[in-house]
Amino acid sequence: MVKISPSILAADFAQLGEQCKMVLDAGADMLHIDVMDGHFVPNISLGVPVLESLHKALPEAFYDVHLMISHPLKYITPFANAGASLITFHLESESDVQQTIDAIRAAGCKVAVSIKPATPAQEVFPWLEQLDMVLVMSVEPGFGGQAFMESALDKISAIRQKAVEIGRPDLMIQVDGGVNPTTGAACVAAGADVLVAGSAVFRAAVPQDAVAALRGQEA
Ligand code: DX5
Ligand code: ZN
């Protein structure tokens, strides 16, 4: 079944714990934590203390941490200690890819690599065997609420095809940015199985209906 990972970037930060509980109660499978450093992307969001507090308040949740930062390797241990379940870093970051994958594994977290819209799918192929997940960005990282870029669909298909070819049909493919029930269904048809959605879940009148609709189900 398709997994739904609401991005807390679209939450009301004054009520963050309550809002996270709300989307988990609504059927979300995990919480997507967007970390931005104002350098890798032109925006600053949140960091380790926020994850630490959320993890204390909701210890059973799966924390899907998306690092949009220039030097992810430096921050693997703090995010893992704060409660990250899975850590995604960008192939375009300045950290060594192999060392960063190794550090995430050594910290006991699942490992994912993300590619920005301009990065070809093929660049992630050499790493697929070692990864739990690939995150295909369907917007330029940095801000929530942007329009979905259709170019993500061919990249998802190419990665799914390659994963099957190398005997890793279980590789998760996540898509992030502008995901709503329509664009999400196109991503799933292309081979994605984890949908990140900020606005579509946190800004919905009935979050449970939004999660079900993203999953392709009637509420
Ligand atoms: C963008 C972030 C996304 C974003 C998604 O840099 O990685 O997770 O918050 O937000 P929506 O679903 O509103 O496009
Ligand atoms: Zn994200």
Side-chain angles (χ1 to χ4, degrees):
M1 184 153 74
V2 178
K3 290 193 160 64
I4 309 301
S5 188
S7 164
I8 68 165
L9 208 54
D12 173 357
F13 278 23
Q15 328 276 345
L16 192 54
E18 280 308 306
Q19 294 247 302
C20 287
K21 189 173 179 311
M22 170 187 82
V23 296
L24 291 169
D25 289 347
D29 299 279
M30 52 186 103
L31 294 169
H32 186 80
I33 314 294
D34 280 314
V35 179
M36 304 180 183
D37 64 355
H39 187 257
F40 183 75
V41 291
N43 195 9
I44 296 176
S45 57
L46 53 90
V48 171
V50 174
L51 176 60
E52 205 169 9
S53 295
L54 280 177
H55 183 249
K56 271 187 197 138
L58 299 164
E60 304 302 327
F62 186 98
Y63 292 93
D64 163 30
V65 176
H66 178 192
L67 300 180
M68 286 164 277
I69 64 179
S70 293
H71 300 284
L73 181 56
K74 280 192 192 169
Y75 299 93
I76 300 307
T77 305
F79 278 104
N81 289 343
S85 312
L86 175 151
I87 299 180
T88 301
F89 69 99
H90 272 266
L91 200 63
E92 307 87 353
S93 76
E94 288 172 38
S95 294
D96 180 81
V97 176
Q98 188 62 60
Q99 282 182 30
T100 309
I101 291 174
D102 292 346
I104 298 172
R105 281 260 178 257
C109 300
K110 289 192 185 296
V111 187
V113 162
S114 181
I115 48 172
K116 297 205 283 185
T119 304
Q122 288 68 20
E123 297 210 6
V124 85
F125 288 179
W127 311 102
L128 290 188
E129 276 163 18
Q130 302 184 56
L131 301 176
D132 295 296
M133 188 177 88
V134 172
L135 165 52
V136 176
M137 289 304 301
S138 43
V139 297
E140 218 37 79
F143 300 91
Q146 304 181 74
F148 180 83
M149 295 166 76
E150 299 280 332
S151 54
L153 297 174
D154 284 346
K155 290 165 75 172
I156 294 167
S157 311
I159 295 166
R160 177 57 72 208
Q161 195 183 331
K162 188 69 183 176
V164 170
E165 250 174 62
I166 64 163
R168 285 294 316 281
D170 60 304
L171 179 88
M172 291 184 286
I173 302 180
Q174 184 178 63
V175 59
D176 183 8
V179 173
N180 58 38
T182 308
T183 57
C187 292
V188 172
D193 49 11
V194 188
L195 302 179
V196 174
S199 326
V201 174
F202 282 100
R203 308 277 158 89
V206 184
Q208 197 174 345
D209 293 354
V211 170
L214 283 163
R215 246 197 263 281
Q217 296 168 336
E218 295 287 325

